[in-house]
Amino acid sequence: MGKLARKVALVGAGTSKFGQTFPLRRIPEHWTDAWLNAVATVDNGIEPKDIEACYVGNYSADLFNHQGHLGPMISSLVGLNPKPAPRFEGACASSGIAMRQALITIASGLMDVICVCGIEVMTEVPTVGVTDALATASDVTFEYTAGATFPGLYAAIASAHMHKYGTTHEDLMRVAIKNHINGKENPYAQMQRSIKDLMERKIAKVKGAGGEVPDWKDEFDYLKSPSNPPIAWPLHLFDCSLVTDGAACLFLASEDVAKKFTDTPIWITGTGQGSAAIAMHDRTTLTALEATVEASRQAYQMSGRGPKDMQIAEVHDCFTIAEICAMEDLGFYEKGKAVEAIKNKDTYRDGAKPINTSGGLKSKGHPVGATGAAQAVEIFKQMRGIAERDRQMKFDVEIAMTHNLGGSGGTCVVQIYEK
Amino acid sequence: MSENEITINNYLKYLSERKLMGSKCKKCGQVDVPARKLCSKCIKPATEWTEMSGKGKLAAFSSINVGTPYFVKKGYDRKKPYVFSVIALDEGPMVSAQLVGVDESHPETIKVGMLVKVKFLKVEVEGLPEKVDLGFEPA
Ligand SMILES: [Zn+2]
């Protein structure tokens, strides 16, 4: 494993407001919002003339929007033609890959400044189209014909994890409860409500209609009620991330020019990417994601850091079970021990290992191709001390991580950030 | 190129004849299902067809309420879920398949580790070509 030939920094980062916005806000609106928000975070300003390329991460505008060839479309909206504008695809890890490739390009000395776009506008097609488009990130010949949906694959992982380690439905619920509490503090999140808020709103609604008021004592009672129907058992509605439209924008700069843009660059000191067989049945284990283990091994080695050094992390919680697996496969906890940490609230904002302070994919939303870059935006804000509302860490965040998965774990990208 | 070359098309043809076929490596003995031209272990083109016993264990599963368009066409929905499963075959490899003969609406009664056997599922759905899908049922 080599080293980066020179240092690379994140000097600006922003997202659009995530939500279900089609037809009011489409690809151009999300991208220009993300761009403007990222430009506003660059202390000394940044102009198109400063940028040498636009790297675009997008899973499938082809299936969601009937639009291919996204690179030049994205770059032309922000005045970056005729510079190179390649597109990168790795399912839900698409913009994690775009960011990593921008990092490698800059480290090589080829370019000094690259703009990274992550984008997905998913609600142009009806739900059945979304399910179908996401399912093509699995093995279409052998998994899809066996009935696998995207939630179904992670549900199968959950069934194996529950069988091997005794993980329970309540453990899964705890992940969702925590992430919604964080998402409430994120003005760019799709769902800015805690599950308790949602429960109380439902009770008020039933009361208002003169119906029989449910006797839910807490969120767990609510989540065990028909308000949380199964989607792919053991996963229920509140175990699943959202269908989201959104974009994220990152500005990466070499150590030679980073100080021109800001006095406080965030250095990306480690990067790793791993792969596993696209079909789960072709892997050696169903309770761990080997691509995560490999991507994090590379990033730890490159940065000289370890799991204990990560003060906060944004991990890929496309489903609640995925956050549990990530906590273990990244080495934060031993296999089967993550649920104990979750029970102890270690992963809350005031816990020992805060995870998904943004609200995660669960509450912030999961515009699949935008997710990897959007994770970097949250880490940038936390490390710069500009996270909105009440979710800014109370301590100085000096080392952090993003973990971005594609499909059911066929692809994984991990990045490590330092001040 | 022989007629019996290891291809996806020939694997599916065997499936339509109710045979679950894998490949066995003549060099290292690795068994792969579905059959592969390159052995998954030594990556040598040294494989030959081998028929599976069809016996195995349930490794993972999900009872799916919101299914793929293909399974919706087959008549499944929120009220009538189906079970997607990963089966660990006695010969070693794992395969994805529908699990039938279980109580799909009470998935807590389905246990990882239970013994299963192959069940070839004939698909006769209007608007879809007639074919056989791979399925398993409790042994
Ligand atoms: Zn071999």
Side-chain angles (χ1 to χ4, degrees):
Chain A
M1 186 60 48
K3 290 268 171 198
L4 294 173
R6 60 174 175 167
K7 285 169 74 181
V8 180
L10 191 54
V11 298
T15 67
S16 65
K17 161 75 177 73
F18 285 7
Q20 299 195 343
T21 66
F22 188 88
L24 297 178
R25 305 193 82 69
R26 309 183 187 200
I27 288 172
E29 291 78 27
H30 277 285
W31 170 232
T32 45
D33 285 354
W35 164 273
L36 290 171
N37 283 329
V39 167
T41 64
V42 182
D43 299 331
N44 305 327
I46 191 164
E47 300 282 341
K49 67 172 169 49
D50 302 321
I51 300 165
E52 291 158 280
C54 181
Y55 280 17
V56 178
N58 170 261
Y59 167 45
S60 194
D62 317 62
L63 294 176
F64 290 123
N65 319 103
H66 198 62
Q67 175 69 60
H69 204 186
L70 220 55
M73 174 187 248
I74 293 297
S75 64
S76 69
L77 287 165
V78 292
L80 292 176
N81 301 137
K83 292 154 188 172
R87 168 181 162 186
F88 298 85
E89 192 274 314
C92 318
S94 295
S95 61
I97 296 170
M99 178 184 175
R100 174 176 148 85
Q101 291 305 316
L103 173 72
I104 291 169
T105 304
I106 294 171
S108 79
L110 187 66
M111 295 180 190
D112 276 311
V113 182
I114 297 177
C115 164
V116 175
C117 164
I119 191 159
E120 209 80 58
V121 172
M122 301 170 71
T123 63
E124 188 165 348
V125 290
T127 306
V128 62
V130 174
T131 304
D132 206 40
L134 291 175
T136 68
S138 69
D139 184 323
V140 170
T141 311
F142 297 114
E143 291 183 313
Y144 186 81
T145 50
T149 59
F150 199 37
L153 291 166
Y154 278 94
I157 291 172
S159 76
H161 202 278
M162 287 168 146
H163 177 73
K164 187 163 181 187
Y165 299 114
T167 307
T168 65
H169 288 275
E170 286 78 8
D171 294 328
L172 301 180
M173 290 171 191
R174 286 183 182 99
V175 173
I177 291 168
K178 182 263 298 172
N179 286 349
H180 272 265
I181 287 172
N182 289 345
K184 189 177 175 179
E185 306 300 328
N186 186 347
Y188 294 93
Q190 179 170 346
M191 276 266 241
Q192 297 172 34
R193 285 176 201 277
S194 67
I195 290 179
K196 199 168 177 207
D197 290 345
L198 293 166
M199 176 179 84
E200 283 165 358
R201 194 169 65 157
K202 182 94 183 208
I203 290 172
K205 209 170 148 191
V206 175
K207 249 186 205 163
E212 195 184 327
V213 180
D215 60 343
W216 299 322
K217 289 186 303 295
D218 55 22
E219 296 102 317
F220 293 99
D221 284 346
Y222 172 65
L223 292 175
K224 286 171 193 168
S225 78
S227 293
N228 186 23
I231 300 294
W233 193 95
L235 300 183
H236 292 64
L237 183 64
F238 277 90
D239 290 302
C240 305
S241 57
L242 308 165
V243 173
T244 309
D245 305 323
C249 175
L250 310 173
F251 297 120
L252 269 59
S254 72
E255 60 183 329
D256 300 324
V257 303
K259 288 281 162 86
K260 197 179 110 186
F261 298 104
T262 178
D263 293 333
T264 53
I266 306 298
W267 302 105
I268 305 158
T269 57
T271 182
Q273 182 171 341
S275 69
I278 185 170
M280 266 171 28
H281 60 240
D282 282 334
R283 301 179 194 161
T284 54
T285 172
L286 298 175
T287 50
L289 296 179
E290 295 155 309
T292 295
V293 174
E294 173 61 15
S296 60
R297 184 192 67 77
Q298 294 170 15
Y300 288 139
Q301 192 177 338
M302 186 181 286
S303 63
R305 304 290 183 179
K308 285 194 171 56
D309 298 319
M310 302 302 128
Q311 293 172 297
I312 63 169
E314 288 286 304
V315 310
H316 197 95
D317 61 321
C318 49
F319 299 93
T320 48
I321 184 65
E323 180 161 322
I324 292 171
C325 287
M327 289 165 66
E328 297 170 349
D329 300 336
L330 291 167
F332 295 173
Y333 302 93
E334 280 173 48
K335 281 310 287 184
K337 299 285 190 232
V339 296
E340 272 176 38
I342 291 166
K343 271 184 207 151
N344 293 337
K345 300 196 173 184
D346 283 358
T347 55
Y348 276 62
R349 292 199 305 277
D350 57 359
K353 199 80 160 181
I355 286 178
N356 286 332
T357 58
S358 67
L361 285 48
K362 177 72 202 76
S363 175
K364 180 185 61 183
H366 184 24
V368 288
T371 282
Q375 292 175 320
V377 174
E378 175 68 7
I379 294 300
F380 177 82
K381 287 182 176 176
Q382 289 288 357
M383 294 182 81
R384 292 280 290 262
I386 57 169
E388 301 85 359
R389 297 186 187 157
D390 199 29
R391 75 178 201 288
Q392 178 62 49
M393 289 294 104
K394 306 293 185 242
F395 59 87
D396 190 17
V397 181
E398 291 181 311
I399 309 180
M401 171 189 273
T402 53
H403 160 262
N404 186 201
L405 280 178
S408 64
T411 296
C412 182
V413 181
V414 167
Q415 251 97 236
I416 292 172
Y417 309 74
E418 298 187 45
K419 266 191 180 160
Chain B
M1 197 165 58
S2 79
E3 206 176 295
N4 202 26
E5 190 187 352
I6 294 182
T7 61
I8 288 174
N9 199 50
N10 282 336
Y11 167 83
L12 295 173
K13 211 170 118 199
Y14 274 125
L15 197 59
S16 72
E17 294 163 7
R18 298 170 182 268
K19 284 183 180 156
L20 176 56
M21 298 298 283
S23 55
K24 184 163 187 174
C25 180
K26 286 179 267 186
K27 282 207 156 44
C28 75
Q30 173 77 8
V31 176
D32 289 307
V33 180
R36 291 177 176 228
K37 181 146 187 167
L38 293 188
C39 161
S40 72
K41 197 170 168 192
C42 69
I43 319 297
K44 293 284 192 299
T47 57
E48 59 189 358
W49 289 106
T50 177
E51 188 172 355
M52 296 296 110
S53 66
K55 290 186 204 145
K57 269 185 193 166
L58 180 62
F61 74 99
S62 171
S63 175
I64 298 189
N65 304 78
V66 182
T68 60
Y70 178 55
F71 274 71
V72 171
K73 270 193 201 138
K74 284 197 195 177
Y76 295 100
D77 61 21
R78 208 173 254 292
K79 291 210 170 65
K80 191 190 171 200
Y82 64 88
V83 172
F84 159 73
S85 67
V86 180
I87 306 295
L89 298 171
D90 282 358
E91 290 85 353
M94 294 195 286
V95 287
S96 294
Q98 185 180 355
L99 181 65
V100 298
V102 292
D103 187 353
E104 290 93 344
S105 297
H106 294 94
E108 63 281 358
T109 61
I110 305 169
K111 301 292 175 200
V112 169
M114 69 189 260
L115 299 179
V116 295
K117 63 179 198 288
V118 73
K119 163 110 179 161
F120 296 99
L121 305 169
K122 186 155 191 198
V123 185
E124 288 170 296
V125 178
E126 219 183 289
L128 293 176
E130 232 182 74
K131 60 185 279 223
V132 172
D133 278 346
L134 182 61
F136 282 81
E137 63 183 355

